[in-house]
Amino acid sequence: MAALAQTQTQYVYRHPHPAVTTNVVIFTIEQQRLKVLLVRRPRAPFQGVWALPGGFIAMEEGLEESALRALERETGMQGVYLEQLFSFGRPDRDPRERVITVAYYALVPSDRLTRRAQSDVDWFAVDALPTLAFDHRDIVELAIARLAAKLDYSTIAFQFMPREFTLSELQAVYEVILGERLDKRNFRKRVLGLAHIEPVGQARRQGSHRPAMLYKVKHPERVEIISSRRSR
């Protein structure tokens, strides 16, 4: 910390410079809907308005550290998928001062959600968002577009899955994000051909249907790049 203080004293710039924040779009899929976590702002500007989790970066932390801090503060979770999205720097985006935010998005499986008895933190379906503070609606919309685009060439959808799942449950995730129905036969052929999931040797009965084979992701700790061809 002493070295940091010395560096801050040594480098003093005459020209004005902006403040920097991070914001995190935290996604989950629940009840067949893509949802995002929002917090109600306790103070001005936009007091009482819903916003993305985030805040100003501390002098001693990096960008990702700041985003992870916001993620853990609002969800209590660690070890979930986090990716940098984009930097938003429109001069008038914050009425207080010149603020640049570096946005991230995180993916949280619904079986890992921890409900907190807080009226100022809640999940909202992305197709039914309330009024958002600052330019946070633009951030959410870009995160949704990025998420949908990555389905084409990566295993990002697997980050929403519990430890064991059926192919129907995986297909439902794709359909929720894309907002369209996929051909069941083609989807299964493509997914099984990726070699990124494997059967666990058990099945689960779903209603009156015959038991469905359970699968797991081989490397759930990472998102892998795959072919850009998607069968429907």
Side-chain angles (χ1 to χ4, degrees), residues 24-214:
V24 187
V25 184
I26 306 173
F27 286 121
T28 194
I29 293 180
E30 189 177 40
Q31 299 175 339
Q32 300 299 305
R33 301 182 83 181
L34 181 64
K35 295 185 176 182
V36 63
L37 187 71
L38 300 176
V39 298
R40 196 188 299 273
R41 286 186 55 78
R43 62 184 68 87
F46 301 103
Q47 184 173 6
V49 179
W50 293 99
L52 294 170
F56 288 94
I57 296 174
M59 293 301 293
E60 70 279 3
E61 68 182 354
L63 292 171
E64 188 167 314
E65 289 177 275
S66 176
L68 288 170
R69 177 167 55 86
L71 174 65
E72 183 176 5
R73 181 181 66 237
E74 304 302 345
T75 68
M77 285 182 289
Q78 298 176 323
V80 299
Y81 181 75
L82 181 75
E83 180 179 313
Q84 190 174 127
L85 175 65
F86 197 70
S87 297
F88 294 79
R90 196 178 68 226
D92 61 348
R93 62 177 304 275
D94 192 316
R96 294 169 294 185
E97 60 177 325
R98 181 79 163 92
V99 178
I100 295 172
T101 192
V102 181
Y104 288 78
Y105 66 101
L107 310 182
V108 181
S110 61
D111 66 331
R112 292 184 58 186
L113 296 181
T114 301
R115 296 293 182 184
R116 298 185 177 187
Q118 295 175 267
S119 61
D120 57 349
V121 180
D122 204 355
W123 292 93
F124 291 84
V126 298
D127 58 354
L129 292 176
T131 298
L132 300 185
F134 306 105
D135 54 356
H136 288 187
R137 182 174 290 273
D138 294 337
I139 297 175
V140 172
E141 290 177 352
L142 183 60
I144 295 170
R146 174 74 62 82
L147 179 60
K150 290 199 73 168
L151 293 182
D152 263 337
Y153 61 88
S154 78
T155 60
I156 196 167
F158 299 163
Q159 295 296 317
F160 286 110
M161 306 312 298
R163 195 177 73 85
E164 297 179 356
F165 55 89
T166 67
L167 293 182
S168 293
E169 290 167 342
L170 179 60
Q171 181 173 336
V173 167
Y174 276 77
E175 292 177 341
V176 166
I177 297 172
L178 293 171
E180 61 182 271
R181 297 296 299 272
L182 302 178
D183 180 81
K184 180 177 180 179
R185 186 173 182 178
N186 287 339
F187 176 82
R188 294 185 175 214
K189 180 180 179 181
R190 177 175 183 267
V191 168
L192 292 176
L194 296 177
H196 290 293
I197 63 174
E198 59 187 2
V200 299
Q202 297 179 335
R204 179 194 299 153
R205 182 175 294 278
Q206 298 174 304
S208 59
H209 301 285
R210 67 179 184 179
M213 184 72 69
L214 289 171

Side-chain angles (χ1 to χ4, degrees), residues 10-21:
Q10 182 179 358
Y11 295 101
V12 178
Y13 299 96
R14 292 184 178 181
H15 64 275
H17 51 278
V20 181
T21 62

